Amino acid sequence: MKETVKGEGRRETRIRMARYIFEHKAASRQELSGALELSMPTVFQYVNDLMNRGLVIEAGEYNSTGGRKAKMLRLQAGIYSALGVEISRRHVRMVLVDLSGTLLERKSLVLGYENTSEYYEALGQAIEAFVQEQKAAAGLLGVGMSIPGILDLEAGLLRQSHALGAKNVGLKSFSRYIPFPVYFENDANNAACAELEGKTKDTVYLSLNDTVGGAIFLASQLYRGDNYKSAEFGHMMIVPGGRRCYCGKEGCLDPYCSAQVLRDPQDQSLERFFDRLRQGEEGAKALWDEYAGHLTIAIDSLRTIFDCDIVLGGDVGGYLAPWLPELEDRLRKYNNVDTDISFLRVGKFCRESSVVGAARQVMSHYIDTID
C-alpha cells in the first residue's frame, strides 16, 4: 500500500518536494525523506515522477559517509527560465535565470522612470528585445518586476515610491506592454528572497540603496505587516531633531545611511567613494566614520529588537565586505550582550540581489502550479 501524507494529496507532495530542491539548489533522496517527513519508498516514487516530467535530474553524487554515495538531485536547467527586472529612477536592470538557479545573462540600460505611456512602452520593448536576443521566449515562465516603494499587491498599486517620485500608480501600467506574465514585489523583499534562499533561520535584511528599507523573514515567511509597510527601517528615528527625512520627520535613518550620503557628488558613483576610502583620503574617511557610526546604531537596534541574523545589502551593501570587521568592532562597543558578532554578514549577490530575487519569485510561482 502506497504511503499517503495526511492533509495533502499527490500534487501537494510533488510541489513540496520540488520546492525543497529549488530552495536548497540540490538535495539527496535521504535529505528529502528527513526534511519532508516522508518514507524512502514515497520519496523514490515522487522523485521518479518529477524526473519523468523532466523537472528533476540526477547531477552527480555527494561524498560518501561510509555507505553508498547519495545521488544529488537538481532542477533541470535549460528548459524553463525566468526574467528578473529591476526598476530604478534612472536605469532598468535585467537578468535571465534558469530553473536550476543559473544566471544565464544580464543587461542594464539607461531608462529614466516617468509615469507615462511612453516610458511603459519603452520598458516593454526593452524587455521583449532582451528575451528575443537570448532566444528565451519559448521557455520563459514570466517576468518578475522589482520596484522600490510600498506595494499593495491586493489592490494592484504602487502606493508610494520616493525613489521613483511616484504615488498611487497602478501596477498594470508597468506590465501593459509586456507580452509575458508579470509578478510584482518590493525591491527589498526580492533582495531578501535571493539572499536567504534555502535558509530557515529568522533573518532581517537591511537594504542600503538610494533609500533605506529592508525585509523581515520570520519562521521562513516574509513578514509584510498590516499595511504592507513592514521593515521600513529607513524611518526609524536615530537622531531626534536631526536631518529632515523625505517622509517629513527629523532624524530618520534614511538621511544618514542611504547610498546618496556616500555617492560622489561629481558622477554619483559609489565605487568612486569606496576607491577614495581604500586610498585613505581624509574626506572619504571622515564621511565613512560618520556613516558607519549611524549604521552601527541601526544594526544594534535591529539586533536588540529581533535577536536574529542581519544581512546588509543594497548598493552600499555590495561594497561592505572589506569593512565588515570594522563594523563588528563598532558593534562590540554598543552591544554588551552578544559576544559573537557573526550574526552580521553582507549579501552574496551584491548589487544584483533584487533583480535575481525577482526572477526567483517567478520560479516560485511556477512551482506552486505543478500538477
Side-chain angles (χ1 to χ4, degrees):
M1 180 177 179
K2 292 182 179 179
E3 178 191 8
T4 58
V5 181
K6 185 178 181 181
E8 66 179 11
R10 294 174 58 86
R11 177 174 178 270
E12 288 77 11
T13 303
R14 227 177 345 254
I15 289 173
R16 279 208 303 148
M17 194 169 292
R19 177 165 294 283
Y20 187 92
I21 298 172
F22 168 67
E23 291 178 348
H24 294 79
K25 289 190 175 292
S28 67
R29 291 175 175 82
Q30 292 83 346
E31 184 180 349
L32 290 170
S33 175
L36 303 182
E37 298 181 340
L38 299 171
S39 69
M40 284 300 294
T42 297
V43 169
F44 269 91
Q45 174 191 341
Y46 281 94
V47 166
N48 288 341
D49 186 4
L50 290 170
M51 292 177 70
N52 289 336
R53 292 164 179 257
L55 292 176
V56 170
I57 59 170
E58 290 183 344
E61 298 177 332
Y62 288 96
N63 292 330
S64 174
T65 57
R68 172 184 273 178
K69 291 183 179 180
K71 300 291 185 180
M72 181 183 296
L73 303 171
R74 292 185 182 272
L75 294 184
Q76 175 69 279
I79 298 178
Y80 297 115
S81 62
L83 182 66
V85 176
E86 181 183 46
I87 304 295
S88 69
R89 184 183 289 273
R90 302 178 185 86
H91 298 86
V92 171
R93 182 179 292 167
M94 297 181 282
V95 298
L96 188 67
V97 180
D98 73 14
L99 199 57
S100 71
T102 303
L103 200 158
L104 303 174
E105 192 56 73
R106 54 169 61 85
K107 185 174 185 177
S108 181
L109 61 138
V110 176
L111 185 60
Y113 175 75
E114 296 177 348
N115 185 22
T116 63
S117 294
E118 290 77 11
Y119 172 84
Y120 298 120
E121 185 173 7
L123 175 65
Q125 291 172 350
I127 288 172
E128 191 167 8
F130 180 68
V131 171
Q132 295 301 330
E133 287 169 9
Q134 305 308 315
K135 298 180 173 58
L140 190 70
L141 298 172
V143 176
M145 188 80 68
S146 189
I147 301 178
I150 299 171
L151 274 63
D152 185 338
L153 298 178
E154 291 184 6
L157 280 176
L158 171 60
R159 290 291 186 191
Q160 186 172 5
S161 173
H162 175 72
L164 300 182
K167 192 172 185 179
N168 293 327
V169 177
L171 295 178
K172 287 185 178 179
S173 298
F174 290 88
S175 60
R176 184 184 308 161
Y177 297 99
I178 300 174
F180 310 105
V182 180
Y183 305 89
F184 294 95
E185 186 55 89
N186 163 275
D187 60 338
N189 290 344
N190 273 328
C193 287
E195 295 292 353
L196 306 179
E197 60 179 355
K199 301 292 189 299
T200 57
K201 291 186 67 177
D202 294 344
T203 305
V204 165
Y205 179 82
L206 180 59
S207 177
L208 302 168
N209 284 313
D210 284 351
T211 56
V212 177
I216 304 166
F217 270 77
L218 301 176
S220 300
Q221 297 292 321
L222 180 64
Y223 176 72
R224 296 183 180 275
D226 293 339
N227 301 292
Y228 304 101
K229 295 180 181 179
S230 69
E232 286 291 331
F233 300 133
H235 302 296
M236 298 189 306
M237 188 176 295
I238 62 167
V239 183
R243 299 172 188 168
R244 181 170 291 276
C245 179
Y246 67 84
C247 73
K249 295 193 303 182
E250 294 179 343
C252 290
L253 178 64
D254 193 280
Y256 291 93
C257 285
S258 77
Q260 294 284 23
V261 175
L262 300 178
R263 287 193 187 280
D264 186 275
Q266 301 299 320
D267 61 7
Q268 291 291 295
S269 169
L270 275 176
E271 184 174 0
R272 184 171 176 181
F273 167 79
F274 281 100
D275 282 343
R276 290 166 52 211
L277 185 59
R278 277 188 290 268
Q279 293 164 11
E281 184 180 309
E282 289 302 320
K285 287 167 61 178
L287 181 55
W288 167 252
D289 186 63
E290 181 183 34
Y291 182 95
H294 291 118
L295 179 58
T296 302
I297 292 172
I299 294 169
D300 182 64
S301 297
L302 293 174
R303 175 66 176 182
T304 300
I305 295 166
F306 292 101
D307 188 29
C308 67
D309 286 359
I310 297 173
V311 177
L312 304 178
D315 287 344
V316 176
Y319 290 96
L320 290 183
W323 285 273
L324 192 59
E326 178 190 333
L327 290 173
E328 292 174 346
D329 288 341
R330 288 174 177 267
L331 273 172
R332 291 186 181 93
K333 296 176 182 178
Y334 283 104
N335 192 323
N336 59 4
V337 177
D338 292 306
T339 56
D340 182 2
I341 310 293
S342 62
F343 66 82
L344 182 67
R345 62 183 176 87
V346 295
K348 59 186 177 182
F349 285 106
C350 297
R351 294 170 294 283
E352 287 188 329
S353 56
S354 175
V355 69
V356 170
R360 284 181 57 81
Q361 294 281 18
V362 176
M363 297 176 191
S364 182
H365 283 288
Y366 167 70
I367 288 172
D368 285 339
T369 66
I370 293 175
D371 59 19

